[in-house]
Amino acid sequence: MKCLVDRGVSIGDCCSLKDLRVIIPVGGRATRLLPLSVETSKACLRLLNRPLVEFSLLSLASQGVRNIIFGVKGYTNYRNLYDYFESGYGFSARYNIKPRLHIKYQPNVADLGSADSTSINMEYYDLKNTVFVVQSDNIFEVNLKHLMDFHKEKNAALTIVLRKVDNVEGLGLADIDKDGRINKFVEKPSLNDAPSNLANTGLYVVSPKVRKIFKEKDVQQIIKTKNRLDFGYDFIPYVIQSGHPVYGYNIKGSWFDVGTPKNYLDAMKSLLHNRALMQNDFGEHLHSDQNCLVWVQSESSDSGKCSEQILQKIKQKKIHVNGAVMIGRHCQIDDGATLTDCCIDNFTRIGRNAVITNSAVMDMTVIGDYAEVTNSILGRHVTVYSSQERVTKIFDESVVADDVIVEEGSFLCASKVYPHQKIKGEFLNKVLI
């Protein structure tokens, strides 16, 4: 049966992977993304006008997956995910996924890491077949059928999806033999100790036999000693050292770890420039010329009027656009504004002669006249006051969380602002709580 997702995009044969269970661990506070994640689960942080984890769900659904388990830990993670996705009915209807996606949640048990979350859910839901584990802050391209065939052919206990990277800093790295078996795995080694440039993407194929490995005395001792059972730091090295077959499956497609502000902005820019993905998934109001590529989203006649007004301003050069830009529904952009490689979410207002460069501006945010936002992330319902006489500047990977007021003439460089504040002044490498 052929199913459709979002504006008629084929998602292929839904039967081949319909019985595969996917576990998405979502635990902790996402400290690397603070202060954006203070009150929002990292899985639900907005990227290109949708929750981050939605990219994974659509990728999985497009290949026939219909069963998802969110391995949630903590109130914020559960609240955000359940309130948005519930059991999958609304999400499936929105993207016309047939048969629908079934979404379940981890029982109310506090796990001690991503591997522990996987163990808890495999036991609770009595999963006796192969499981696919996906990290909630990853965006990836992987052919699931090929991956599952590889895993089965190797008779692996665990298959880790790997990708060659130019910069190995802060990543888990694997050393593999010519057959693909992993001889050594090191989580976030120093540059001198890096065994290879094959990075762990956080995507794992887990065999049913791993349920027994989770129960082994040495694994339980790790939990007792470290009060933790993380895949990278703990479980993968243990499984390899214990002699169980662990294999690496190399991918060449896109993969983004959106776990830091820099990575977030890099992923945003890369996805904006991926014309095939954007044109399929992000809207029909498209303006394109040799210098720019623009999506202006709309879902109704009301938002369509706003979209047409913005497109007319772009064509008349009243709004200057460079690179690739996405503009959400019901936005207001005044004359003279310059947008370069950025995302402007729904119901956002951009003032006269404001300049937004390589930045994310989330929904309901107001950017004042002549303000400059560069290489930064502004959360939801932020107000940035600015004028020609007193220009406000935010740049160098500054992050402003939700519901913040930035007063006219302020200056933020490489600074982080926590939610619900009013700030004024000059801040260099500061954390404002």
Side-chain angles (χ1 to χ4, degrees):
M1 178 178 181
K2 190 175 182 181
C3 302
L4 301 178
V5 173
D6 194 17
R7 300 177 178 85
V9 180
S10 172
I11 68 167
D13 179 4
C14 294
C15 299
S16 58
L17 292 167
K18 67 181 179 63
D19 295 324
L20 178 68
R21 264 51 177 178
V22 175
I23 297 176
I24 305 179
V26 188
R29 297 182 61 226
T31 55
R32 295 185 301 163
L33 280 169
L34 290 172
L36 293 174
S37 55
V38 171
E39 299 175 339
T40 304
S41 169
K42 72 177 175 183
C44 290
L45 288 176
R46 296 180 71 75
L47 175 67
L48 296 177
N49 212 357
R50 61 174 52 171
L52 174 55
V53 76
E54 199 162 292
F55 287 91
S56 296
L57 295 186
L58 285 174
S59 176
L60 295 165
S62 73
Q63 298 182 68
V65 170
R66 291 296 179 268
N67 295 280
I68 304 291
I69 300 169
F70 281 125
V72 291
K73 178 176 75 173
Y75 166 70
T76 298
N77 287 319
Y78 174 74
R79 178 199 65 194
N80 286 178
L81 285 162
Y82 186 80
D83 286 355
Y84 187 85
F85 292 104
E86 294 185 325
S87 63
Y89 275 107
F91 179 79
S92 301
R94 178 182 179 187
Y95 291 105
N96 196 25
I97 300 172
K98 300 177 181 178
R100 77 171 182 91
L101 213 62
H102 294 265
I103 299 177
K104 297 180 171 63
Y105 297 82
Q106 182 169 308
N108 193 5
V109 177
D111 64 71
L112 298 174
S114 55
D116 193 38
S117 173
T118 301
S119 174
I120 289 169
N121 286 290
M122 288 182 78
E123 287 298 322
Y124 183 80
Y125 290 106
D126 194 23
L127 304 184
K128 296 178 180 178
N129 296 314
T130 299
V131 169
F132 188 44
V133 178
V134 174
Q135 305 309 304
S136 64
D137 56 357
N138 282 0
I139 298 173
F140 56 87
E141 287 181 293
V142 62
N143 186 312
L144 274 181
K145 186 179 185 306
H146 290 172
L147 173 59
M148 295 302 161
D149 288 345
F150 174 89
H151 178 79
K152 183 178 180 180
E153 176 191 329
K154 300 298 183 181
N155 192 28
L158 188 65
T159 296
I160 304 172
V161 177
L162 305 173
R163 192 180 189 281
K164 286 185 177 180
V165 295
D166 296 325
N167 181 8
V168 300
E169 187 175 1
L171 298 171
L173 303 168
D175 176 41
I176 64 174
D177 65 21
K178 62 181 180 181
D179 192 41
R181 184 159 179 166
I182 298 178
N183 299 314
K184 183 180 181 182
F185 181 88
V186 185
E187 181 72 8
K188 299 177 183 176
S190 65
L191 295 181
N192 293 333
D193 295 329
S196 74
N197 65 343
L198 291 173
N200 175 14
T201 64
L203 306 174
Y204 311 115
V205 184
V206 180
S207 293
K209 67 183 75 172
V210 170
R211 282 181 66 174
K212 293 182 178 179
I213 300 176
F214 279 131
K215 297 175 183 177
E216 291 180 3
K217 287 183 179 180
D218 289 342
V219 174
Q220 296 304 308
Q221 186 61 37
I222 291 172
I223 295 173
K224 183 177 180 181
T225 303
K226 297 184 177 181
N227 197 35
R228 182 189 74 197
L229 190 64
D230 178 76
F231 267 109
Y233 282 111
D234 308 309
F235 193 65
I236 294 172
Y238 171 80
V239 178
I240 294 170
Q241 291 163 13
S242 301
H244 298 288
V246 179
Y247 280 82
Y249 177 86
N250 295 333
I251 60 170
K252 295 181 180 179
S254 297
W255 169 69
F256 303 99
D257 170 9
V258 193
T260 68
K262 181 182 184 305
N263 289 353
Y264 176 104
L265 291 172
D266 288 346
M268 179 197 75
K269 186 173 180 179
S270 294
L271 290 167
L272 281 170
H273 282 269
N274 186 332
R275 292 175 179 237
L277 170 65
M278 295 295 293
Q279 201 160 354
N280 286 338
D281 284 351
F282 289 100
E284 298 168 348
H285 286 76
L286 176 68
H287 169 79
S288 179
D289 61 31
Q290 61 181 0
N291 297 316
C292 69
L293 189 63
V294 185
W295 289 264
V296 187
Q297 297 180 313
S298 66
E299 292 182 349
S300 66
S301 59
D302 294 326
S303 61
K305 292 177 183 177
C306 294
S307 300
E308 290 299 334
Q309 289 173 358
I310 291 171
L311 286 170
Q312 285 303 313
K313 284 189 175 185
I314 292 172
K315 292 175 182 177
Q316 295 166 7
K317 307 298 184 183
K318 293 180 179 179
I319 300 173
H320 311 289
V321 178
N322 306 296
V325 172
M326 188 170 79
I327 300 169
R329 296 175 292 110
H330 295 286
C331 289
Q332 175 186 320
I333 303 177
D334 292 341
D335 292 356
T338 300
L339 309 177
T340 303
D341 289 333
C342 61
C343 177
I344 311 298
D345 266 13
N346 304 328
F347 294 96
T348 290
R349 288 163 35 207
I350 308 294
R352 290 182 299 109
N353 299 309
V355 179
I356 315 295
T357 305
N358 195 37
S359 296
V361 179
M362 297 184 190
D363 49 317
M364 286 288 182
T365 285
V366 178
I367 308 293
D369 297 345
Y370 293 90
E372 298 177 14
V373 181
T374 305
N375 295 321
S376 295
I377 305 171
L378 305 187
R380 310 174 85 167
H381 218 287
V382 170
T383 301
V384 178
Y385 289 109
S386 181
S387 66
Q388 186 174 9
E389 295 76 22
R390 301 179 65 197
V391 175
T392 297
K393 298 183 179 182
I394 302 172
F395 64 101
D396 201 12
E397 292 180 26
S398 289
V399 180
V400 180
D402 296 350
D403 191 34
V404 167
I405 295 174
V406 182
E407 293 285 14
E408 187 177 333
S410 294
F411 177 93
L412 277 72
C413 175
S415 295
K416 300 180 187 300
V417 185
Y418 277 63
H420 315 304
Q421 297 188 77
K422 180 185 287 188
I423 65 166
K424 181 179 181 180
E426 297 188 3
F427 305 96
L428 174 63
N429 289 308
K430 298 293 185 182
V431 177
L432 306 177
I433 300 179

